[in-house]
Amino acid sequence: MSFGLDYNAALVLQGVSLLGAAAGVIGCFAVLRRRALTGDALAHASLPGLCLAFIILREKSLPVLLTGAAASGILGIGVIAGLRRWTRIKEDAAIGIILSVFTGVGTVLLSIIQSLPGGSRAGLDSFIFGKTAGMIQEDVQLITGLALATLVMVALAFKEFKLVAFDPGFARVQGWPAFAIDFVMMLLMVVAIVIGLPAAGVLMMAALLVIPGAAARFWTDRLHLLLLVAGFFGMSAGVVGAWLTIVFVKVPTGPAIILTASAIFVFSLLFAPRRGLIARRWQHYHLRQQLQPPPEVV
């Protein structure tokens, strides 16, 4: 479906839709593992690698920049995992360290890029807030391929991810490599974040990982349905947000996508049939009516 847009815009919507689906699905495991801030830390951890890739190679092609961002993100999850496993530092403290240190390094590198002769930021601002206008067919094909690979990986390792997400201690007792599986889950988060940088940006990609999964939790308790609903919510947010920026409002794509995802979350919070606020208020009212004693007969 092209929404009345030209071929390039329809192609961008295709890439953004798969990006949103992949982010929503893998983000469910971050929500279940109570690692919402991990996505934020990894999104910011990708910024120094992206900047270093440009400084070293002076190349603005998307594969080069995303490779640098992926390397930096992998370094970030390695540091978080190492601090959690081999030191007394708790996971929230490790995430805070990565978030602050890598953000500081990325900011310094952005300043260096701006001072380069004839360089300025060379279009790197689009990776901060997201922008689909400059994406070409090869970029969209790369995003589409990586997003599909992420979804396939989750489908193939569903049983292992489910076990580690709900009971990592039991997984270790049963002989499963829980640490390695957990690392792969975080690695897929890095992939989702990296491929989302051109569309949603560093600042907004973490929210796209968390909000669809959090919204889907209002609708179901079953994991396979949770993944499907979160993937649908992420896809919807990506398509609608990108479409609005292309057709109506010339604003960065990232904030538009996140505002769309936030609207989905608010709708789920209010109107979900079992866990929504309105449904729960009605259940409480109905229960009070049942517990009230019958009126006395005079």
Side-chain angles (χ1 to χ4, degrees):
M1 184 178 296
S2 63
F3 298 93
L5 304 174
D6 58 32
Y7 174 76
N8 187 64
L11 198 66
V12 168
L13 289 180
Q14 169 194 313
V16 172
S17 66
L18 287 173
L19 164 66
V25 168
I26 194 62
C28 284
F29 294 103
V31 173
L32 293 173
R33 295 281 283 149
R34 299 183 179 182
R35 287 178 173 171
L37 286 180
T38 302
D40 195 17
L42 297 181
H44 286 78
S46 65
L47 182 59
L50 187 147
C51 296
L52 279 175
F54 175 77
I55 292 174
I56 295 173
L57 301 176
R58 301 296 177 91
E59 180 65 52
K60 291 190 294 182
S61 70
L62 186 63
V64 170
L65 296 177
L66 294 190
T67 299
S72 183
I74 292 172
L75 176 62
I77 66 172
V79 174
I80 291 175
L83 289 175
R84 190 178 73 247
R85 184 170 186 180
W86 291 303
T87 71
R88 293 177 176 267
I89 297 176
K90 300 297 184 181
E91 186 171 14
D92 58 344
I95 292 173
I97 291 171
I98 295 303
L99 180 63
S100 56
V101 172
F102 278 69
T103 301
V105 173
T107 303
V108 171
L109 292 176
L110 280 175
S111 301
I112 293 174
I113 290 174
Q114 194 164 15
S115 65
L116 292 175
S120 185
R121 291 193 178 185
L124 293 184
D125 280 339
S126 62
F127 289 90
I128 306 299
F129 297 104
K131 185 178 181 182
T132 58
M135 295 169 61
I136 60 177
Q137 181 176 354
E138 289 76 13
D139 299 340
V140 177
Q141 289 174 346
L142 176 63
I143 293 173
T144 300
L146 291 175
L148 284 174
T150 301
L151 292 173
V152 169
M153 183 64 184
V154 171
L156 292 176
F158 175 77
K159 181 176 67 175
E160 292 80 4
F161 287 175
K162 178 180 180 180
L163 181 60
V164 172
F166 286 103
D167 199 342
F170 179 75
R172 285 190 292 269
V173 170
Q174 293 297 313
W176 291 89
F179 181 80
I181 295 172
D182 192 40
F183 188 85
V184 171
M185 289 169 57
M186 295 182 69
L187 186 61
L188 290 179
M189 289 178 61
V190 172
V191 173
I193 289 169
V194 167
I195 62 177
L197 293 181
V202 169
L203 298 181
M204 301 295 168
M205 194 55 214
L208 187 58
L209 276 172
V210 175
I211 294 177
R217 286 283 287 157
F218 289 104
W219 297 89
T220 181
D221 294 324
R222 305 179 66 180
L223 182 59
H224 68 283
L225 291 178
L226 180 70
L227 298 182
L228 291 175
V229 174
F232 174 74
F233 284 167
M235 178 184 293
S236 301
V239 170
V240 174
W243 180 67
L244 289 175
T245 60
I246 293 172
V247 176
F248 295 108
V249 185
K250 302 304 180 183
V251 297
T253 312
I257 292 175
I258 299 311
L259 288 176
T260 305
S262 300
I264 294 174
F265 177 82
V266 171
F267 179 85
S268 301
L269 173 68
L270 294 176
F271 300 108
R274 289 178 53 199
R275 294 187 172 185
L277 290 180
I278 294 177
R280 295 189 64 168
R281 290 285 184 180
W282 171 252
Q283 291 170 2
H284 291 165
Y285 171 77
H286 188 64
L287 181 61
R288 285 197 303 267
Q289 292 296 111
Q290 290 180 331
L291 294 179
Q292 283 182 355
E296 295 183 1
V297 179
V298 179

